[in-house]
Every structure is written in structure tokens, then in C-alpha cells.
């Protein structure tokens, strides 16, 4: 059995067993409290540059399949699990998790005390770490980690965003018929700015009756404004994505142009943060972020259980220009806003809920109604 050695920037040195890819990787370590959906989490582009610690102790037991991929590959640096199950049992499974990690060069770390790690991150906050199947010396790992760039110094958007424009036509997964619905295209097209979009966000936009065109993060705002004025498109969607939104200065300038053109816009997660920054309100980093599928959010007194995956948040003083529509009941942070006198709104949580609860899906229909 291959050993793997872990060193965290607070000086913690651990040894565990390896599954998945071999090698050495550096990234930020966070924890996720979801009970299901490990494949969707691992293939979510928002985890680029991060190690994901699963608080659910049993991982791998339902295998993997092509339909649960949230992107074409897995962008996270690695996963930490208490117990990994190579033998899986699920009628939809097409392979094992170990093979998926090897295929996409993601480190797998098993037989490690994930409760200890989670409590440490809860108390001290998310931090950088290095894991290696090649280097066992603590001092050498510390040296490698110290000279590596931090996650906030890397623009992972350039890695995860599409390089070519494409049309997405699949609707939401139909669990009764075991296939994706083919939604009827509307006469209004929306353009999705891909900062690391999840496939199920695109599915829900189609399911709401919209025609979906996905463009790279290096988009040209003037071209989109011209298409909106020519009535070729009816709205813009800003997607989720990885990293520190304050590093995206070029993207911010383009989003500011879209705002000035009064184009209807909807945004999730990183896109939600980008709208805040483009309006002149900088984001801030949370201590250990919100990662999981059980976070209660208040929507004007109605409680929704939501899926979350973010390390950054919009500031409280955004109320100067926006009405708060959603609040996180765990820590009272802002979860959603509607900008005053504009058809622009956004949420921090993931209403596409893959994995997670489905009670926030109505937001996609609200956007479709504005566009139409």
C-alpha cells in the first residue's frame, strides 16, 4: 500500500495511505459536510487549487458515472477521506472513484482522521498544505510548501473556463426516466460567462426554458452589449468559479460595462461576488468557508436548506445599493441580493443543488421570467 505524507502550514505533519493519483501537490485545504455527491464535489471547478476533506466517513461506496460529472475533468488537488471503498454498489455506477482520481491526476488520501482535520480547520481556518507520495521528509515538505504560490495568488479561472463558445442543450436530470430532459428552446437566449460553471447550472437554465450559450471568461462586454441591443440575447448569467474574486481585475472591468448597459443579469457564487466587486464593494474571506449541502438560508422568513461552496462573501454594506433577499442562518452572512432599480440579482448558494436539496430551484425560473 502506497503511503502519502501531508504537511500543513500550521506545522501539522501526518502520514496516511494513498489511493488515486501519485505525486506531489500543493493547495488550500477545506472541509465539506455533504453526506452524498462526492463525485459532483470532486468535479466542481470551484474546487480548483483545493484539497477537499470529506466529513462523511464512507466515500467511494456508490462508485462513479459519466452523468454525475460537473465538468469535463476534476480540478481539485486532492481529497481526504476516513474510509475509502474500492468495491462499490449502485445500479448507476460505471467505475470506481480511484480510477476517476487517477484519470484526472487527483491525489486520494485515506485512513486519516478527518474529524481531527475538520476541527482544526474550524478552529484555525482554511490553510495551505502539501501532500506527496514521493517526499516523506517533514522539513522538505515544509520547504516545498513555503516556496509555492498561495491559492489567492493564482488565477484558476484561466484554467477552468471554456476556451471556445458552445451551446448547451441538456435540461435537468429526470430520475424517473433516467435521462436528461431536452427542454424546448425559447426565443430568448442567455449568455453564460464561464468562470468555472457547473454542468447542472446549465441544465437548470435550459430546464427553465432558456437557450444557453456559454462563452469564455475572456469575454468582450462590448460585443455582448451590441448583441443585447440587437435583441439577439435577453440576459447574462455569471457563473460560479474558483479562487479569490479580487484578483479578477480584467473580468471586473468587463462586468462593469455589462452593468452600465442595464442588461438583465443573474449570478451564482463567484458571479455573485463579481457583481459586488464591480459595483465597488470588495469581498472578504471567511475563516473556513461554507462547503456542504445542509446550510439553512432565510428567504424573507422562509427557510431553505441549500448547497454551499465558497470561501469568500459580499460585505454587509452592500445594502447601500442592493436589497438583501437571502441570509445564511448559520453565520448571518448575506446569501442573496437584488440590486436596486436594476434587473440584476444574485445568490451565494447553489440553487442547482448538485449535490444537495432542491428547494431553491425557483430562482432559475425567476431569471427566465425577467429575460422573457
Amino acid at each position: 500500500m502506497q503511503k502519502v505524507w501531508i504537511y500543513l502550514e500550521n506545522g501539522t505533519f501526518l502520514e496516511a495511505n494513498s489511493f488515486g493519483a501519485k505525486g506531489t501537490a500543493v493547495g488550500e485545504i477545506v472541509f465539506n459536510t455533504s453526506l452524498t455527491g462526492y463525485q459532483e464535489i470532486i468535479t466542481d471547478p470551484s474546487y480548483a487549487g483545493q484539497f477537499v476533506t470529506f466529513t462523511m466517513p464512507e466515500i467511494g461506496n456508490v462508485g462513479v458515472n459519466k452523468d454525475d460529472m460537473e465538468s469535463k475533468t476534476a480540478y481539485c488537488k486532492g481529497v481526504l477521506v476516513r474510509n475509502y471503498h474500492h468495491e462499490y454498489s449502485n445500479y448507476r455506477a460505471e467505475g470506481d472513484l480511484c480510477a476517476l482520481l487517477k484519470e484526472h491526476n487527483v491525489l486520494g488520501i485515506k485512513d486519516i482522521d478527518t474529524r481531527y482535520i475538520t476541527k482544526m480547520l474550524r478552529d484555525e481556518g482554511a490553510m495551505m498544505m502539501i501532500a506527496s507520495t514521493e517526499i516523506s521528509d517533514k522539513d522538505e515538505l515544509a520547504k516545498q510548501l513555503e516556496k509555492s504560490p498561495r491559492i489567492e495568488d493564482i488565477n484558476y479561472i484561466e484554467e477552468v473556463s471554456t476556451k471556445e463558445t458552445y451551446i448547451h442543450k441538456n435540461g435537468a436530470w429526470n430520475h424517473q426516466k433516467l435521462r436528461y430532459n431536452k427542454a424546448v428552446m425559447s426565443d430568448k437566449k442567455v449568455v453564460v460567462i464561464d468562470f468555472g460553471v457547473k454542468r447542472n447550472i446549465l441544465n437548470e437554465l435550459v430546464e427553465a426554458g432558456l437557450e444557453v450559450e456559454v462563452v469564455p471568461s475572456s469575454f468582450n462586454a462590448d460585443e455582448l452589449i451590441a448583441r443585447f441591443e440587437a435583441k439577439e440575447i435577453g440576459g447574462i448569467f455569471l457563473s460560479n468559479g474558483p479562487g479569490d474574486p479580487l484578483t479578477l481585475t480584467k473580468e471586473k472591468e468587463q462586468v462593469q460595462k455589462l452593468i452600465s448597459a442595464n442588461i438583465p443579469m443573474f449570478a451564482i457564487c463567484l458571479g455573485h461576488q463579481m457583481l459586488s466587486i464591480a459595483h465597488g464593494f470588495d469581498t472578504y474571506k471567511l475563516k473556513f468557508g461554507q462547503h456542504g449541502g445542509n446550510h439553512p438560508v432565510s428567504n424573507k422568513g422562509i427557510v431553505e436548506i441549500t448547497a454551499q461552496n465558497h470561501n469568500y462573501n459580499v460585505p454587509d454594506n452592500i445594502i447601500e445599493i442592493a436589497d438583501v433577499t437571502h441570509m445564511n442562518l448559520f453565520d448571518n452572512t448575506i446569501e442573496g441580493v437584488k440590486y436596486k432599480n436594476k434587473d440584476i440579482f444574485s445568490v451565494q448558494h447553489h440553487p442547482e443543488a448538485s449535490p444537495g436539496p432542491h428547494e431553491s430551484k425557483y430562482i432559475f425560473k425567476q431569471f427566465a421570467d425577467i429575460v422573457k
Side-chain angles (χ1 to χ4, degrees), residues 141-276:
L141 288 171
K143 185 187 303 182
Q144 293 287 336
L145 179 60
E146 184 178 4
K147 70 180 185 181
S148 299
R150 301 184 64 82
I151 190 170
E152 55 266 26
D153 299 326
I154 303 173
N155 185 347
Y156 280 106
I157 303 299
E158 297 175 352
E159 177 183 343
V160 303
S161 179
T162 182
K163 302 300 184 289
E164 302 290 338
T165 297
Y166 64 93
I167 302 297
H168 183 88
K169 295 185 178 181
N170 279 339
W173 177 259
N174 185 324
H175 291 278
Q176 300 300 318
K177 298 182 179 179
L178 303 182
R179 62 173 176 79
Y180 282 97
N181 295 328
K182 296 289 185 178
V184 177
M185 296 292 100
S186 72
D187 59 352
K188 283 292 187 181
K189 177 184 289 187
V190 295
V191 170
V192 172
I193 311 299
D194 180 12
F195 297 126
V197 69
K198 291 172 62 180
R199 184 175 68 173
N200 272 294
I201 288 178
L202 303 179
N203 293 345
E204 292 296 341
L205 289 170
V206 172
E207 194 73 13
L210 296 168
E211 186 174 356
V212 176
E213 177 183 322
V214 186
V215 302
S217 61
S218 57
F219 70 99
N220 184 299
D222 292 331
E223 292 179 1
L224 294 182
I225 292 170
R227 293 179 64 187
F228 174 71
E229 292 174 345
K231 301 187 184 304
E232 293 179 13
I233 61 174
I236 302 287
F237 175 82
L238 305 181
S239 85
N240 62 296
D244 185 348
L246 291 177
T247 65
L248 307 178
T249 54
K250 292 184 297 184
E251 293 82 355
K252 179 187 76 171
E253 294 172 358
Q254 296 300 308
V255 172
Q256 286 174 328
K257 289 184 178 181
L258 297 177
I259 292 171
S260 65
N262 293 318
I263 301 176
M265 280 194 281
F266 170 39
I268 290 175
C269 206
L270 178 70
H272 165 75
Q273 298 156 13
M274 285 295 300
L275 282 175
S276 173

Side-chain angles (χ1 to χ4, degrees), residues 295-355:
H295 292 247
V297 167
S298 173
N299 171 17
K300 299 177 181 177
I302 299 173
V303 177
E304 303 169 13
I305 303 302
T306 67
Q308 306 257 349
N309 177 24
H310 62 103
N311 275 18
Y312 298 86
N313 223 77
V314 302
D316 291 341
N317 64 342
I318 201 171
I319 61 174
E320 296 174 15
I321 60 167
D323 296 320
V324 175
T325 57
H326 300 75
M327 290 291 294
N328 190 302
L329 297 179
F330 276 161
D331 60 5
N332 292 319
T333 54
I334 293 174
E335 284 286 342
V337 297
K338 165 69 171 67
Y339 288 88
K340 297 176 181 178
N341 303 315
K342 298 175 183 176
D343 284 330
I344 300 176
F345 67 103
S346 60
V347 292
Q348 183 62 72
H349 55 279
H350 283 262
E352 81 284 358
S354 183

Side-chain angles (χ1 to χ4, degrees), residues 38-202:
Y38 55 78
Q39 183 182 350
E40 293 94 324
I41 293 165
I42 291 169
T43 57
D44 181 347
S46 294
Y47 281 109
Q50 293 181 319
F51 286 88
V52 183
T53 302
F54 287 100
T55 61
M56 176 64 181
E58 311 296 332
I59 298 293
N61 51 316
V62 296
V64 298
N65 65 76
K66 65 179 183 301
D67 286 319
D68 289 341
M69 295 287 289
E70 284 296 334
S71 61
K72 65 180 183 295
T73 187
Y75 292 101
C76 64
K77 294 291 185 177
V79 297
L80 292 81
V81 308
R82 180 66 186 93
N83 297 316
Y84 166 65
H85 296 272
H86 190 69
E87 299 296 328
Y88 55 86
S89 177
N90 187 276
Y91 71 101
R92 295 179 62 230
E94 300 168 343
D96 59 80
L97 177 58
C98 179
L100 178 75
L101 297 185
K102 287 180 177 179
E103 179 184 356
H104 300 292
N105 197 33
V106 175
L107 291 176
I109 300 168
K110 65 176 182 174
D111 304 326
I112 193 167
D113 190 344
T114 51
R115 181 184 291 273
Y116 165 77
I117 293 172
T118 300
K119 290 172 69 176
M120 177 174 58
L121 297 177
R122 180 197 64 189
D123 295 339
E124 300 184 36
M127 64 186 75
M128 296 296 292
M129 67 163 272
I130 182 171
S132 178
T133 60
E134 307 162 320
I135 305 170
S136 60
D137 182 71
K138 175 182 177 181
D139 293 336
E140 180 60 25
L141 288 171
K143 185 187 303 182
Q144 293 287 336
L145 179 60
E146 184 178 4
K147 70 180 185 181
S148 299
R150 301 184 64 82
I151 190 170
E152 55 266 26
D153 299 326
I154 303 173
N155 185 347
Y156 280 106
I157 303 299
E158 297 175 352
E159 177 183 343
V160 303
S161 179
T162 182
K163 302 300 184 289
E164 302 290 338
T165 297
Y166 64 93
I167 302 297
H168 183 88
K169 295 185 178 181
N170 279 339
W173 177 259
N174 185 324
H175 291 278
Q176 300 300 318
K177 298 182 179 179
L178 303 182
R179 62 173 176 79
Y180 282 97
N181 295 328
K182 296 289 185 178
V184 177
M185 296 292 100
S186 72
D187 59 352
K188 283 292 187 181
K189 177 184 289 187
V190 295
V191 170
V192 172
I193 311 299
D194 180 12
F195 297 126
V197 69
K198 291 172 62 180
R199 184 175 68 173
N200 272 294
I201 288 178
L202 303 179

